[in-house]
Amino acid sequence: MAFKFKIQSLGLLDIIRFKKLVPNRREKLAQGEDKPLPVSYRVNETAKILHPGFQKAKLIKIELNTEDTKTYTFETERPFYFRAGQYLTLGCNVDGSYVSRPYAISSAPEKGLNKELSLTIKKCGFFSGYLFDNAKPGDEFRIGDPSGEFCYEPIKDSKQVLAIAGGSGITPFYSMAQSIADGTSDFSLTIIYGAKTENDLIFKKELEALVCDKIKVVYVLSAEKKEGYEYGFIGAKIIKKYISGDFTVMMCGPQAMYEFVEKELAQFNLPIKRVKKEANCVGVRDVKDATYKITVHIGFEVKTIDAKATETVLTAMERAGINAPAKCRAGGCGFCHSRLVSGKYSIAGADKRRLADLKFGYIHPCCTYPDSDMEIVVPKA
Ligand code: FES
């Protein structure tokens, strides 16, 4: 069967352009400079300065906030660029082993650009307890780049944010309040802050100094009735009293608070994207004591270590002096992602692994407890 083609005039122009494509390109290339390309670009140099991976930080000040909480202020080697609400990994050698933990940053992002940042830490767990009892000005630490998504997102979030904080969970919200006050961030923040007693409130004086048309603070005490404070737990009745209309909820505090507040929030019918909560570090689990052997392949080394059934695989590696990678310690960042060769295990809380990780046998040692002897391949930190 014969086809008849009719050449359109515009189509003809396309053919002419196509024919000129190669000679035009050659001409442009011939006109280009013959200087070699730069080895690096300013944008990459700036990125390296702002996010070098890890850097040294010198402890310059310690302030006592409550009887079991202190704020540690560090001078960093380089400007520390972060968003209010983010955390970093702080680490140092303790008794010959490198130990690190993630902590939310309590200072304003603006200060970070002047090489200063603060972490507000409650005395609980091994490393936080070590800091509380032993850290002193002049000590040197290693800090990682800022991490985490627990930040105000102007495109996704409402202009009104309801911050629900419990205990030391006030830390990221204090950073956000400062960033609103200094003009770095632009949204309205209503903080509802729960603690047992007035003496357990961290940053009360500092938060009150920041109150303005964009920053409101409400205190809720669960173990004492006092004038000027709400009493009980943070529930729907208190929330309705202080905020209405469209708002994003951000929660940071203990797991028990999340469970209670989530039930209370049900009656607000908020879309999923309007509720964010900061993940908590995985701690010890309550099971019968047992000890297993874990064979760890890291770089060119192979080590066999003891691991308690109550502790995570990551904690066991750190206790044995293995410098395993870690950031969030909550199964969220994927930084500790390791390959399981053999062994049984349990995951703390919800399994946050991708389907591909499940299929190809990857685990997050930060939230994995051993249930038998194991063999794993861990990337170098
Ligand atoms: S340290 Fe973030 S997933 Fe394990």
Side-chain angles (χ1 to χ4, degrees), residues 293-307:
K293 295 276 177 213
I294 303 187
T295 305
V296 182
H297 299 256
I298 182 162
F300 294 112
E301 287 183 82
V302 183
K303 290 184 177 174
T304 300
I305 62 167
D306 284 340

Side-chain angles (χ1 to χ4, degrees), residues 289-360:
D289 221 3
T291 302
Y292 302 111
K293 295 276 177 213
I294 303 187
T295 305
V296 182
H297 299 256
I298 182 162
F300 294 112
E301 287 183 82
V302 183
K303 290 184 177 174
T304 300
I305 62 167
D306 284 340
K308 295 179 192 160
T310 50
E311 68 189 1
T312 64
V313 172
L314 177 63
T315 307
M317 287 195 283
E318 287 175 340
R319 221 169 25 80
I322 296 175
N323 187 9
K327 263 190 188 176
C328 72
R329 306 181 83 91
C333 71
F335 204 63
C336 64
H337 187 250
S338 301
R339 188 164 64 82
L340 177 77
V341 179
S342 64
K344 289 191 201 142
Y345 61 90
S346 300
I347 308 261
D351 191 344
K352 296 178 189 151
R353 289 174 297 169
R354 295 170 303 172
L355 282 178
D357 288 340
L358 283 175
K359 186 171 174 188
F360 297 108

Side-chain angles (χ1 to χ4, degrees), residues 42-55:
R42 265 186 25 214
V43 65
N44 300 108
E45 293 304 314
T46 310
K48 259 191 253 167
I49 292 169
L50 296 177
H51 298 299
F54 287 92
Q55 59 174 302

Side-chain angles (χ1 to χ4, degrees), residues 13 20 40-41 77 119 126 167 207 312 325 329 340 360 379:
L13 283 175
K20 282 190 173 172
S40 69
Y41 293 87
E77 264 183 317
L119 306 174
F126 172 70
L207 284 166
T312 64
R329 306 181 83 91
L340 177 77
F360 297 108

Side-chain angles (χ1 to χ4, degrees), residues 124-344:
C124 70
F126 172 70
F127 190 53
S128 305
Y130 168 82
L131 291 173
F132 198 91
D133 295 333
N134 299 286
K136 53 188 186 317
D139 287 354
E140 289 227 330
F141 292 83
R142 186 177 184 243
I143 57 166
D145 282 343
S147 305
E149 311 289 317
F150 193 67
C151 305
Y152 175 69
E153 301 287 353
I155 295 174
K156 203 172 109 194
D157 294 330
S158 164
K159 269 284 204 189
Q160 273 200 108
V161 171
L162 169 65
I164 297 181
S168 57
I170 190 64
T171 309
F173 301 127
Y174 179 44
S175 178
M176 286 180 206
Q178 292 171 86
S179 79
I180 293 170
D182 68 24
T184 309
S185 302
D186 182 21
F187 59 97
S188 296
L189 184 66
T190 299
I191 302 174
I192 302 186
Y193 180 18
K196 275 190 183 158
T197 68
E198 187 187 26
N199 286 342
D200 295 318
L201 293 168
I202 308 165
F203 299 132
K204 183 167 182 291
K205 217 167 57 192
E206 292 85 345
L207 284 166
E208 265 155 25
L210 294 172
V211 168
C212 60
D213 58 332
K214 286 190 172 172
I215 304 167
K216 271 194 259 173
V217 190
V218 178
Y219 302 101
V220 184
L221 304 180
S222 63
E224 65 182 5
K225 279 189 181 177
K226 273 201 156 185
E227 211 187 307
Y229 297 88
E230 293 287 348
Y231 173 69
F233 294 106
I234 303 169
K237 205 167 139 207
I238 293 176
I239 293 172
K240 277 181 193 157
K241 194 168 158 188
Y242 294 100
I243 199 162
S244 58
D246 181 34
F247 56 89
T248 291
V249 180
M250 296 179 78
M251 290 191 268
C252 187
Q255 185 59 29
M257 184 192 90
Y258 291 165
E259 283 162 22
F260 182 79
V261 175
E262 273 169 357
K263 278 191 206 130
E264 294 289 305
L265 285 174
Q267 58 183 276
F268 291 86
N269 288 322
L270 296 166
I272 293 172
K273 67 172 182 180
R274 285 278 186 264
V275 181
K276 310 200 244 190
K277 63 180 181 194
E278 182 64 316
N280 286 317
C281 283
V282 174
V284 292
R285 71 169 167 171
D286 189 14
V287 289
K288 218 172 113 211
D289 221 3
T291 302
Y292 302 111
K293 295 276 177 213
I294 303 187
T295 305
V296 182
H297 299 256
I298 182 162
F300 294 112
E301 287 183 82
V302 183
K303 290 184 177 174
T304 300
I305 62 167
D306 284 340
K308 295 179 192 160
T310 50
E311 68 189 1
T312 64
V313 172
L314 177 63
T315 307
M317 287 195 283
E318 287 175 340
R319 221 169 25 80
I322 296 175
N323 187 9
K327 263 190 188 176
C328 72
R329 306 181 83 91
C333 71
F335 204 63
C336 64
H337 187 250
S338 301
R339 188 164 64 82
L340 177 77
V341 179
S342 64
K344 289 191 201 142

